[in-house]
Amino acid sequence: MIQNLHLENFKVHKSADFNLKGLTILTGMNGMGKSSVIQALLLLRQSFLIQKKFNGIILNGDLVKIGNYQDAFCESGEGDEILFSLNMDNGTMYDLSFERNVDKNFLPLKNSVREDDLFEINLFKNNFQYIAAEHSAAQESNDRNTFYVEQLNQISEKHGDGKYTVHFLSHNSNKHIISKKLAHPNEQDMSLGAQTEAWLQEISPSVKLNIKEELSLNTFTLRYQFKTSLGLTKEYKPENVGFGVSYVLPVLVAILSAEPGALLLIENPEAHLHPAGQATMGKLLCLAAQCGVQLVVETHSDHIVNAILVLLRKDIKQKETEIDLEKIHVYFIERNKESHISDIYPIQIRPDARITNAPNMFFDQFSKDMKLIMGF
């Protein structure tokens, strides 16, 4: 796993350090540099996969599009190099320094790196998924792609689009998830198909997935049914069911299908979800980290963070140790008041499930609103 990510002169990050745990949550207002952290990792993956080696970073590709050197370089940066450093949990460290290349979208690598070692990092392997903030919601007819799904183990083809989620779920439906810790309490079947449906029912109660392969059309058909006291309803097209149900499906499948050591980059998993559904996503993200999956998550949802605190609180009441705080790290990112660079604040979560010394604007809008409403 990646233990630490250091960025220098990249976008708003003049010099920034992130200790990446099992679950690393990036919070903060819009435009503060959360997405840039994920983009840095995507740039490394995209460049390595395109070149089949590492001569530099390709700023525009299937995973991320930055522009040119001027778009990538920090406005308040010093010198003319962009530096990404990866510190792995086995003690290996990679310093990747990229040369200034004005008006170009390829930045050559200045230093040498042992490429054979890079092949062992999940960032560059198939044990990886990226789900972008703006991804595809399931349609009634969904594309089939044997190469991406069955050979590369990918849900997405470009820009974290999640377009092959239905094919991926169908292909891996009978595969068991990695741990009982990740299993829904109401579902004994440990298969990916059963667990995806069980967790989806936390978003939309009683929903049932129906996937059929249309070989002649090279597609998969997805429809939904609902369980009632009288039996199952008729089949409904995804377009006629709440948008959030289909939109969350790639996120659920990516998490539940992950192997130990997998790296998942997920942007705004709370999108289009009711607060209770957002809390469910927070719980699932936390449990996945406890099972050996590494997740870097950008979110604007206090329900995601609160779900982790709730799990900790339940541990305290039940005198269990299911949640290891060492596997969770929350960051708040804001813009420096004097220059256009990011300031990084680690959020301290105590063993008693309380947050201490939270900076202003860290999910404090509810408290502000309640004080005004109550007349304080």
Side-chain angles (χ1 to χ4, degrees):
M1 286 189 178
I2 303 171
Q3 196 170 60
N4 181 270
L5 172 66
H6 176 72
L7 307 176
E8 286 187 18
N9 293 333
F10 180 62
K11 299 186 78 173
V12 295
H13 298 295
K14 182 178 179 180
S15 180
D17 272 295
F18 298 91
N19 291 321
L20 303 185
K21 303 294 185 177
L23 174 59
T24 302
I25 295 180
L26 307 173
T27 70
M29 296 185 69
N30 300 91
M32 298 294 110
K34 302 183 300 299
S35 296
S36 298
V37 180
I38 291 177
Q39 287 173 352
L41 294 169
L42 291 174
L43 278 177
L44 292 175
R45 178 175 172 85
Q46 135 176 318
S47 303
F48 187 73
L49 294 183
I50 291 174
Q51 299 171 85
K52 306 303 180 185
K53 52 185 179 179
F54 214 96
N55 291 330
I57 50 172
I58 299 170
L59 294 178
N60 303 305
D62 284 348
L63 288 178
V64 62
K65 291 185 177 180
I66 300 297
N68 59 30
Y69 172 84
Q70 301 295 344
D71 299 302
F73 192 81
C74 179
E75 182 178 333
S76 302
E78 297 178 354
D80 56 9
E81 299 176 3
I82 292 175
L83 175 67
F84 296 162
S85 293
L86 299 176
N87 192 353
M88 310 305 296
D89 57 3
N90 64 2
T92 307
M93 188 169 183
Y94 304 95
D95 287 326
L96 303 168
S97 180
F98 305 103
E99 295 180 7
R100 176 185 178 89
N101 205 0
V102 178
D103 296 328
K104 304 294 183 181
N105 53 30
F106 176 75
L107 308 185
L109 182 68
K110 290 189 67 174
N111 58 312
S112 60
V113 60
R114 289 184 57 182
E115 292 170 351
D116 289 346
D117 293 341
L118 291 177
F119 276 110
E120 300 305 314
I121 302 175
N122 281 327
L123 177 60
F124 306 118
K125 296 168 68 176
N126 292 346
N127 204 10
F128 169 93
Q129 299 289 351
Y130 166 48
I131 306 297
E134 186 177 359
H135 58 263
S136 302
Q139 307 292 319
E140 181 182 14
S141 179
N142 295 267
D143 290 344
R144 182 175 184 264
N145 192 310
T146 303
F147 178 66
Y148 272 90
V149 172
E150 300 178 23
Q151 298 299 314
L152 300 183
N153 193 49
Q154 294 301 295
I155 288 174
S156 303
E157 180 177 358
K158 295 182 179 180
H159 305 295
D161 55 21
K163 68 182 294 184
Y164 300 134
T165 299
V166 176
H167 181 183
F168 186 97
L169 180 56
S170 177
H171 179 68
N172 295 286
S173 182
N174 294 324
K175 183 179 178 180
H176 279 204
I177 62 173
I178 59 175
S179 172
K180 288 185 177 180
K181 283 186 178 181
L182 206 53
H184 193 279
N186 296 335
E187 180 56 70
Q188 299 299 313
D189 187 341
M190 293 287 288
S191 68
L192 175 62
Q195 288 299 322
T196 299
E197 195 169 271
W199 283 102
L200 192 62
Q201 289 170 2
E202 293 283 333
I203 310 299
S204 182
S206 303
V207 72
K208 180 177 174 57
L209 293 164
N210 283 337
I211 298 174
K212 297 177 182 177
E213 185 173 8
E214 305 289 349
L215 286 172
S216 61
L217 300 175
N218 203 33
T219 61
F220 287 86
T221 297
L222 170 66
R223 293 189 179 95
Y224 296 109
Q225 289 180 284
F226 294 88
K227 300 174 184 177
T228 73
S229 59
L230 301 177
L232 290 174
T233 66
K234 68 179 183 180
E235 293 184 345
Y236 291 91
K237 298 179 180 180
E239 295 89 338
N240 294 326
V241 177
F243 187 76
V245 177
S246 293
Y247 205 70
V248 77
L249 192 60
V251 183
L252 288 177
V253 173
I255 296 169
L256 291 169
S257 65
E259 298 287 343
L263 175 60
L264 308 185
L265 308 181
I266 303 175
E267 296 173 340
N268 303 121
E270 72 274 10
H272 305 290
L273 294 183
H274 182 275
Q278 296 179 37
T280 295
M281 288 307 308
K283 177 181 179 179
L284 190 58
L285 290 165
C286 184
L287 292 176
Q290 305 302 309
C291 298
V293 179
Q294 184 168 37
L295 309 100
V296 180
V297 177
E298 175 194 355
T299 183
H300 293 281
S301 172
D302 51 347
H303 302 293
I304 295 276
V305 176
N306 287 341
I308 298 169
L309 304 181
V310 169
L311 285 176
L312 283 170
R313 196 66 191 170
K314 286 182 178 178
D315 274 5
I316 294 169
K317 287 186 176 181
Q318 297 170 6
K319 297 181 179 180
E320 297 177 352
T321 56
E322 183 180 358
I323 305 304
D324 181 1
L325 263 180
E326 292 298 314
K327 295 182 178 180
I328 301 168
H329 212 150
V330 180
Y331 285 100
F332 180 78
I333 306 175
E334 68 175 2
R335 189 176 296 125
N336 186 279
K337 293 179 173 58
E338 296 181 359
S339 59
H340 187 66
I341 61 173
S342 61
D343 288 333
I344 316 297
Y345 297 95
I347 302 300
Q348 183 65 43
I349 301 177
R350 300 189 335 193
D352 62 357
R354 295 179 182 272
I355 290 177
T356 58
N357 300 322
N360 291 331
M361 305 303 292
F362 179 73
F363 297 131
D364 58 358
Q365 192 60 44
F366 179 78
S367 297
K368 291 178 179 178
D369 290 344
M370 288 308 298
K371 286 180 180 179
L372 182 61
I373 291 169
M374 299 300 291
F376 295 148

